[in-house]
Amino acid sequence: MKMIFGLFLLASVSTKADLAFDLLKASDRARGGIGSGMQWETTVISVENEQTSERDFVVKAKDNSAHVEALKPAKYKGEVYIFNDRNMWFYKPTLKKPVSISARQKLSGQAANGDIASTNYARDYTATFDKKEIIDNKTVHVLLLKAKSKNLTYDKIKYWIEDKSKLAIKAEFQTLQGVPFKIGILKYGEKIKVGDEFVPFVSELTITDAKYPKNYSIIKYRKPQFKSISDSTFNINNLTR
């Protein structure tokens, strides 16, 4: 009897883990984690110590890779960030070769390098159910995400995903000790066609300093589209040619 109960408990835990993974994977789709080639434009507006800055990028993503090119302002034009699996590289015309950088380094204001194109949470984090909440009369699942490796943007994330839409609406970015230091709020004003249907695509991610809420960054997403992207786009050796 004890063996049967143990197997039942193991199966139950496994099922919950699978459900959490499926929910997280479904939420990734609206953030660019679809797998096939995609491209979109991004503007990062940051307010830090009452000073405002703005930067424009074009993002190309495919499977577990991403290519991010700076467009504006002029002093950043030509800078490139490349994500290869969980590794990240930076290049600009004045460098002889790309340099390895951390996804956790500041990109602009509250936005880290990894925030600009990290779309595959289902691959990068282990998800477990925390609880359910009712927000605006909608059932929301709260997941606890734990990083699978040390080179990811965040060690832990508390993640709110609507049950019906499978859209992530809030993220609490935490330290390894579980202390929240940034809060993310997501909006979905864009759409992209997947098969025969149009599905929501993220249009805005606001990341706010948990301790100093007057410091924040707004990442705006525009013109999402499927696009055939060559694997050579993500080859760092091609940056200096």
Side-chain angles (χ1 to χ4, degrees):
M1 179 67 77
K2 288 184 178 180
M3 182 179 292
I4 294 175
F5 177 75
L7 291 172
F8 175 78
L9 184 62
L10 183 62
S12 177
V13 171
S14 178
T15 299
K16 285 186 177 181
D18 290 341
L19 290 174
F21 171 80
D22 291 342
L23 184 61
L24 186 59
K25 188 174 182 179
S27 72
D28 280 346
R29 186 173 74 161
R31 297 175 45 253
I34 296 177
S36 55
M38 283 198 67
Q39 178 177 305
W40 61 87
E41 295 177 8
T42 297
T43 296
V44 182
I45 302 169
S46 295
V47 177
E48 199 82 359
N49 300 322
E50 300 183 350
Q51 299 294 316
T52 302
S53 63
E54 185 171 322
R55 297 182 64 179
D56 287 354
F57 303 87
V58 58
V59 181
K60 298 176 182 178
K62 181 180 179 182
D63 298 321
N64 297 324
S65 300
H67 178 286
V68 181
E69 183 177 357
L71 302 177
K72 295 179 183 179
K75 66 178 180 178
Y76 296 119
K77 187 174 176 60
E79 292 185 351
V80 175
Y81 300 82
I82 286 187
F83 297 72
N84 282 331
D85 199 3
R86 294 189 178 107
N87 298 311
M88 190 171 181
W89 302 83
F90 171 74
Y91 176 77
K92 60 181 179 179
T94 55
L95 292 175
K96 291 183 178 180
K97 61 180 182 178
V99 294
S100 176
I101 60 172
S102 169
R104 303 184 181 204
Q105 288 177 235
K106 180 186 286 191
L107 174 74
S108 175
Q110 295 302 304
N113 289 334
D115 290 321
I116 196 73
S118 294
T119 61
N120 202 333
Y121 278 5
R123 180 202 62 155
D124 292 337
Y125 292 86
T126 299
T128 57
F129 282 107
D130 180 33
K131 58 185 176 179
K132 285 185 181 181
E133 294 183 356
I134 302 299
I135 301 176
D136 296 332
N137 296 319
K138 297 178 181 179
T139 300
V140 177
H141 299 282
V142 183
L143 301 184
L144 300 179
L145 310 184
K146 184 177 180 180
K148 292 181 180 179
S149 68
K150 295 181 179 180
N151 59 344
L152 297 176
T153 313
Y154 302 105
D155 290 309
K156 293 182 177 180
I157 304 173
K158 193 172 184 179
Y159 211 42
W160 284 255
I161 302 176
E162 287 186 358
D163 178 69
K164 186 175 181 179
S165 67
K166 304 296 187 292
L167 298 177
I169 59 172
K170 180 181 176 180
E172 184 180 271
F173 303 111
Q174 303 178 349
T175 65
L176 192 59
Q177 292 73 34
V179 178
F181 65 99
K182 291 195 288 191
I183 306 296
I185 301 296
L186 298 100
K187 296 181 180 179
Y188 300 85
E190 295 284 348
K191 289 183 181 294
I192 190 165
K193 191 173 184 180
V194 178
D196 295 328
E197 63 174 334
F198 284 93
V199 299
F201 192 85
V202 64
S203 58
E204 189 172 297
L205 168 60
T206 300
I207 304 175
T208 303
D209 188 314
K211 192 173 182 179
Y212 303 103
K214 289 185 178 181
N215 293 339
Y216 61 90
S217 291
I218 303 174
I219 304 176
K220 294 181 177 288
Y221 304 78
R222 303 181 306 278
K223 301 178 181 178
Q225 59 180 301
F226 287 110
K227 189 170 184 178
S228 178
I229 301 173
S230 171
D231 290 340
S232 64
T233 303
F234 313 107
N235 187 334
I236 61 172
N237 295 320
N238 292 333
L239 292 175
T240 55
R241 293 179 180 176

